[in-house]
Amino acid sequence: MEETGQLKRAFIDATAGLIAGGISRTVTSPLDVIKIRFQVQLEPTTSWALLHKNLSQPSKYTGMLQATRDIFREEGLPGFWRGNVPALLMVMPYTAIQFAVLHQLKTFAAGSSKTEDHIYLSPYLSYISGALAGCAATVGSYPFDLLRTLLASQGEPKVYPTMRTALVEIVKTRGFRGLYAGLSPTLVEIIPYAGLQFGTYDTFKRWTMTWNLYGSSNINLHSREDGLSSFQLFLCGLAAGTCAKLVCHPLDVVKKRFQIEGLQRHPRYGARVEHRAYRNMFDALRRILQREGWAGLYKGIVPSTVKAAPAGAVTFVAYEYTSDWLEAALT
């Protein structure tokens, strides 16, 4: 009986995570495309940096508004959802695995499968559970992440017309290992990122629950059993996503550089990242710092943070409500 209950719980967590990831990814895709264009651009991404370095060669993208205008003019509205299919194929299993593994780890740590008991886990255990769940989800969905980055960064004219073309070409030129290019910095990034995201989310939830106890007893007609309204869950997710992204962004830049090595983009998008441009993660960090300065490691930080905050918020709110609905429907 207990085994059946665990399977049902795993199904609820995986399904709720899958739906939450799909909704969040589709809503925030335009910001993700802009972020990726900034991250893979070797030239400065601000007009001030261009003037400061006295560069004669102009940068393709020099700000969020300018990038939005250029992408819309050159690629139309669909350009903002470029790579969204592999992104969905990446993020939906990613969030499904992440939330399912997370619940199992929290059940083990808390000694109880009840979600309401997990909120009282120490921040350290929440951090470790989130980090391990993030690692498992990353390994399981990484090839789709790589394909998403290639399709989103290629611009016009397209190097790869379809996801299948990109997959076949990568395997042919780089082998099966090519589908996992940049996995090392991704895992190094995901441990603090997922740990911070889930650890701070649980912490913010605890703080908000305490606040509610000392405040009004009826915060919202739409409050859940734990006393948190949908707006409060949204704010907790918003804060958690922002904190995690600000800390881990440089490693995301390194990952993107590895993923697009050798991509033959049109010259108007600036210098290309040549094949085997970086020996390893530390070499990439050193070279980016050397050639582009600290600003190079934070390229795309504005659209990334603007995207991460609502993405985290939408994911957590959608997960909480889908999970509650499924639990009620299957009981």
Side-chain angles (χ1 to χ4, degrees):
M1 192 69 179
E2 187 180 340
E3 190 176 333
T4 307
Q6 287 180 350
L7 285 171
K8 187 178 90 170
R9 186 67 241 182
F11 171 77
I12 289 170
D13 289 324
T15 306
L18 188 111
I19 293 169
I23 293 170
S24 173
R25 169 66 225 180
T26 303
V27 167
T28 59
S29 179
L31 289 165
D32 201 48
V33 168
I34 295 169
K35 178 200 78 166
I36 290 171
R37 298 289 174 92
F38 280 149
Q39 288 179 321
V40 301
Q41 179 172 292
L42 301 184
E43 294 79 17
T45 55
T46 62
S47 302
W48 180 86
L50 278 170
L51 291 170
H52 181 69
K53 294 192 175 185
N54 197 26
L55 297 173
S56 55
Q57 180 69 27
S59 291
K60 173 64 177 171
Y61 302 117
T62 55
M64 268 189 72
L65 291 176
Q66 180 266 334
T68 303
R69 283 196 306 270
D70 272 20
I71 293 170
F72 182 71
R73 187 179 67 251
E74 294 168 3
E75 304 167 47
L77 201 58
F80 292 105
W81 276 268
R82 181 154 290 173
N84 197 48
V85 173
L88 286 173
L89 291 173
M90 179 272 290
V91 82
M92 290 173 79
Y94 177 91
T95 47
I97 295 167
Q98 189 176 41
F99 279 106
V101 171
L102 182 70
H103 186 86
Q104 292 304 311
L105 289 168
K106 284 186 171 183
T107 297
F108 176 77
S112 169
S113 62
K114 293 180 180 178
T115 307
E116 54 267 29
D117 293 334
H118 296 173
I119 196 69
Y120 300 108
L121 279 174
S122 75
Y124 304 107
L125 286 172
S126 290
Y127 176 93
I128 293 167
S129 298
L132 291 173
C135 285
T138 297
V139 173
S141 60
Y142 189 80
F144 292 114
D145 185 21
L146 182 132
L147 290 169
R148 179 276 306 258
T149 299
L150 285 172
L151 294 177
S153 62
Q154 62 183 342
E156 290 286 350
K158 293 178 182 177
V159 179
Y160 304 116
T162 65
M163 184 174 70
R164 184 178 177 279
T165 310
L167 177 64
V168 170
E169 190 63 27
I170 291 165
V171 174
K172 195 194 309 184
T173 56
R174 296 200 245 173
F176 181 74
R177 288 182 64 182
L179 294 173
Y180 284 88
L183 180 62
S184 297
T186 306
L187 288 174
V188 173
E189 173 207 5
I190 206 66
I191 290 171
Y193 181 79
L196 277 169
Q197 190 177 34
F198 284 98
T200 53
Y201 179 67
D202 285 346
T203 301
F204 288 134
K205 276 180 72 175
R206 276 197 298 273
W207 288 350
T208 309
M209 286 167 67
T210 305
W211 172 270
N212 287 351
L213 286 173
Y214 289 101
S216 171
S217 59
N218 187 20
I219 300 291
N220 190 307
L221 291 173
H222 302 290
S223 290
R224 299 160 69 252
E225 287 181 15
D226 54 16
L228 299 181
S229 68
S230 55
F231 181 66
Q232 288 176 324
L233 286 173
F234 183 86
L235 288 179
C236 290
L238 196 80
T242 304
C243 290
K245 182 50 70 178
L246 287 172
V247 172
C248 303
H249 188 79
L251 289 166
D252 193 38
V253 172
V254 171
K255 176 183 82 172
K256 293 294 188 291
R257 297 292 176 89
F258 274 111
Q259 289 179 328
I260 65 144
E261 278 186 341
L263 179 65
Q264 300 298 305
R265 298 199 300 169
H266 193 280
R268 73 164 173 261
Y269 292 99
R272 296 165 178 163
V273 179
E274 299 300 332
H275 189 51
R276 301 195 182 281
Y278 311 114
R279 289 196 303 273
N280 51 49
M281 181 181 71
F282 298 106
D283 181 55
L285 283 167
R286 182 179 63 81
R287 285 173 184 266
I288 293 170
L289 270 174
Q290 200 172 60
R291 296 171 183 172
E292 304 168 50
W294 281 99
L297 292 174
Y298 282 91
K299 282 181 175 176
I301 187 63
V302 175
S304 183
T305 306
V306 172
K307 174 223 163 191
V314 171
T315 300
F316 281 119
V317 173
Y319 170 78
E320 298 273 9
Y321 276 87
T322 306
S323 177
D324 287 349
W325 179 79
L326 285 170
E327 200 162 358
L330 294 173
T331 301

